[in-house]
Amino acid sequence: MSYEIKGLNEECGIFGVFGVPEASKLTYFGLHSLQHRGQEGAGIVSSDGEKLYQYRNRGLLAEVFADENDLNRLTGTAAIGHVRYGTSGNNSIANVQPFLFRFHDGDIALAHNGNLTNAQTLKCELEDKGAVFQSTSDTEILIHLIRQKKNLGFIDALKASLNEVKGGFAFLLLRKDCLVAALDPNGFRPMSIGQFDNGAYVVVSETCALDVVGAKFVRDVFPGELVIIDKNGLRIDHYTTDTKLAICSMEYIYFARPDSIIHGVTVHNARKKMGRLLAKEQPAPTADMVIGVPNSSLSAASGYAEEAGLPYEMGLIKNQYIARTFIQPTQELRERGVKMKLSAVRGVVEGKSVVVVDDSIVRGTTSKQLVQLLRDAGAKEVHMRIASPPLKFPCFYGIDMSTRAELMAANHSVADMCKIIGADTLGFLSIPSLITAISVPDAGNAPNGGLTVAYFDGKYPTPLYDYEEGYLKSLKQTQIQEG
Ligand code: AMP
């Protein structure tokens, strides 16, 4: 097998609601709380029971809907929305979701969070049968599959199509008279159902989006489920029962908001426990204080500090107005990005031995810059502690990660990494402790406590289809990167 390609570029947030007045406005508010899942593009499609209306563009949600008329035009009592995280070069408006497909027998809108692992194969097959794709995203594939089977009726065609696509997917589909949600057989991506006091339902990527719109949590969507919401209420169906929970551990480590609850686990609590276990496994006996890297590592750092009995200090400040550095196209831009984003507080760290807790090391850019920042601010010793295991393998299920060639831990020992980033010591959380820290109650006897930890051990819970070695050789790498 080979992993020398980019895992993916469809990290996203989705929100859908059915049966409320001004559904698009509610969707707008819901998407705001999912903005951390994607900042490159946003869109909403609404239904007034007769027609579907769409507006989407590149940029942050507030930029996309800066002119409130664009939101006002999206009338109706049902809507789906999407925030998209795209990588450079692949961010044309054609890829901004939700997609809206106009058919003579009824429009369909579609929003997707995840990454399909057999997209290239399906796309080639569909093109050979006459399908024409408008975007380079793999999301459109589902619609073509559904159309080919339209004689089965919508729900059965959808079920059959969901059995053909592989990989990680949380889909929302809107038709004039129903909202449908579907989750992949491993439940890689989170998706939850909420309800309003008037009985109307909402389906969201993360529970933090329920709080903001005033909906109560009902339940998580489980692998293989199809959630159908229409004027008769909500119905749970299945397109497959061949399922095994394997939630992406990166959601808990880095991606999801700390106040979200995924399969019964509050993300902040899981991160804090990762920090506690990290302190046990990787103590720093000479340290004076613990510092978190804002924002994603603050929970883990507080756990480390509590367990180690050290003061938890604010030694790093984040400029909240700088966008993410991770996706900058060149290394030079990434390095400048870290400096613009983070500053060390001299009055806190000068002359001190500090433990810095971060959630992960991908390329090592952040850690290297951080160590330098802290040393420049007078820190005596810098002990880097990472609240997840070394990232050695890409994600193919919907988290944007580097290529294996770029992943620092894939190419260096921990001792080498420590030297490269310039820290005094470096320590990572073990895989068993990661699993213990998260402890998903819904996991039953699923392997790895119901989590995907393939990024650390290379044991992917599914075949990788288009990403397997033989197939790769027959495709241009650029073609796959754009999928
Ligand atoms: P790097 O500087 O390349 O080592 O990236 C590490 C930093 O990126 C960490 O501080 C994380 O908070 C953040 N990070 C980890 N995974 C991702 C991801 N999939 N997308 C964006 N940022 C990430």
Side-chain angles (χ1 to χ4, degrees):
M1 239 182 263
S2 165
Y3 310 115
E4 300 304 315
I5 48 164
K6 196 159 172 50
L8 116 32
N9 51 35
E10 300 279 350
E11 237 162 51
C12 301
I14 52 180
F15 183 102
V17 62
F18 192 93
V20 295
E22 301 197 289
S24 62
K25 292 202 175 133
L26 206 81
T27 303
Y28 175 82
F29 293 125
L31 287 180
H32 246 299
S33 59
L34 299 173
Q35 186 82 80
H36 61 286
R37 298 184 69 86
Q39 298 101 44
E40 305 287 305
I44 298 175
V45 172
S46 70
S47 165
D48 63 4
E50 290 298 323
K51 279 172 84 175
L52 299 193
Y53 307 91
Q54 177 193 43
Y55 190 75
R56 60 178 177 158
N57 213 333
R58 286 176 293 177
L60 293 167
L61 183 72
E63 292 163 1
V64 171
F65 289 98
D67 179 350
E68 66 184 85
N69 290 321
D70 291 324
L71 197 54
N72 291 338
R73 273 193 285 273
L74 305 179
T75 54
T77 55
I80 61 172
H82 190 267
V83 285
R84 176 170 193 276
Y85 184 134
T87 49
S88 61
N90 189 17
N91 196 24
S92 78
I93 187 163
N95 285 329
V96 180
Q97 300 186 29
F99 294 140
L100 174 57
F101 302 90
R102 304 264 186 213
F103 296 114
H104 70 271
D105 51 355
D107 300 344
I108 305 179
L110 176 63
H112 173 210
N113 172 209
N115 184 55
L116 304 183
T117 44
N118 63 341
Q120 289 299 322
T121 304
L122 289 174
K123 219 166 178 176
C124 294
E125 285 171 13
L126 286 161
E127 279 178 5
D128 287 346
K129 286 184 196 157
V132 177
F133 287 88
Q134 294 172 7
S135 72
T136 58
S137 152
D138 54 10
T139 305
E140 251 183 291
I141 290 168
L142 187 73
I143 288 294
H144 287 283
L145 292 173
I146 295 170
R147 286 307 284 182
Q148 283 189 340
K149 305 173 195 13
K150 83 186 204 25
N151 293 343
L152 297 175
F154 177 66
I155 293 296
D156 284 339
L158 174 59
K159 283 186 184 177
S161 304
L162 290 168
N163 279 296
E164 285 182 59
V165 293
K166 307 292 177 200
F169 54 82
F171 281 119
L172 283 180
L173 294 102
L174 183 69
R175 303 182 81 206
K176 66 179 184 182
D177 52 6
C178 71
L179 169 66
V180 180
L183 191 63
D184 70 70
N186 296 96
F188 289 117
R189 307 263 64 91
M191 187 152 68
S192 304
I193 304 169
Q195 192 172 26
F196 295 98
D197 288 342
N198 75 351
Y201 287 100
V202 57
V203 184
V204 296
S205 282
E206 285 183 42
T207 58
C208 63
L210 296 178
D211 303 335
V212 77
V213 297
K216 286 199 187 70
F217 173 78
V218 175
R219 78 199 268 293
D220 289 300
V221 180
F222 284 88
E225 283 185 346
L226 205 61
V227 182
I228 303 157
I229 304 167
D230 59 20
K231 65 177 184 348
N232 300 316
L234 178 142
R235 184 160 62 89
I236 306 267
D237 201 341
H238 294 85
Y239 64 89
T240 178
T241 50
D242 185 9
T243 62
K244 198 176 285 165
L245 190 66
I247 320 159
C248 171
S249 56
M250 287 307 287
E251 292 280 354
Y252 292 102
I253 293 167
Y254 162 77
F255 200 41
R257 235 171 70 160
D259 54 332
S260 287
I261 303 171
I262 306 174
H263 284 284
V265 179
T266 296
V267 171
H268 166 78
N269 294 345
R271 287 184 189 161
K272 200 163 171 192
K273 206 153 170 212
M274 289 172 210
R276 278 187 170 280
L277 295 176
L278 180 63
K280 280 193 178 157
E281 288 184 341
Q282 304 287 344
T286 58
D288 298 313
M289 65 178 69
V290 178
I291 293 172
V293 184
N295 295 325
S296 51
S297 308
L298 299 181
S299 306
S302 70
Y304 192 109
E306 265 183 35
E307 184 66 38
L310 288 169
Y312 172 61
E313 266 293 359
M314 198 156 82
L316 289 166
I317 302 288
K318 183 179 177 193
N319 183 332
Q320 307 288 354
Y321 305 97
I322 304 285
R324 282 185 174 167
T325 54
F326 186 83
I327 54 170
Q328 292 286 355
T330 68
Q331 188 59 20
E332 195 194 333
L333 283 175
R334 269 195 292 269
E335 282 170 19
R336 183 166 330 136
V338 175
K339 278 206 191 103
M340 282 171 68
K341 197 167 76 173
L342 293 167
S343 318
V345 186
R346 177 174 286 276
V348 172
V349 303
E350 195 165 27
K352 303 284 190 214
S353 168
V354 300
V355 176
V356 186
V357 178
D358 203 354
D359 57 85
S360 54
I361 292 184
V362 182
R363 298 181 183 86
T365 318
T366 309
S367 305
K368 196 171 169 189
Q369 299 276 320
L370 273 180
V371 172
Q372 196 54 51
L373 277 177
L374 289 162
R375 292 212 193 278
D376 291 348
K380 192 172 69 186
E381 289 171 15
V382 182
H383 302 280
M384 197 79 199
R385 295 291 178 270
I386 307 298
S388 62
L391 269 172
K392 296 181 180 169
F393 302 90
C395 172
F396 298 101
Y397 307 119
I399 286 277
D400 186 24
M401 242 182 235
S402 199
T403 59
R404 186 147 156 73
E406 282 182 317
L407 288 173
M408 199 185 202
N411 301 291
H412 299 281
S413 66
V414 173
D416 281 352
M417 289 172 83
C418 184
K419 264 192 218 128
I420 296 169
I421 66 172
D424 290 276
T425 64
L426 170 65
F428 288 85
L429 188 68
S430 68
I431 298 177
S433 286
L434 175 72
I435 295 167
T436 306
I438 301 172
S439 289
V440 179
D442 295 337
N445 49 17
N448 299 315
L451 296 167
T452 294
V453 292
Y455 330 119
F456 315 114
D457 66 8
K459 293 180 194 145
Y460 292 90
T462 64
L464 294 176
Y465 300 98
D466 291 354
Y467 297 99
E468 307 274 350
E469 191 176 25
Y471 190 83
L472 263 183
K473 282 190 186 139
S474 68
L475 275 178
K476 282 199 206 111
Q477 182 164 324
T478 50
Q479 221 181 331
I480 294 186
Q481 283 184 358
E482 284 186 356

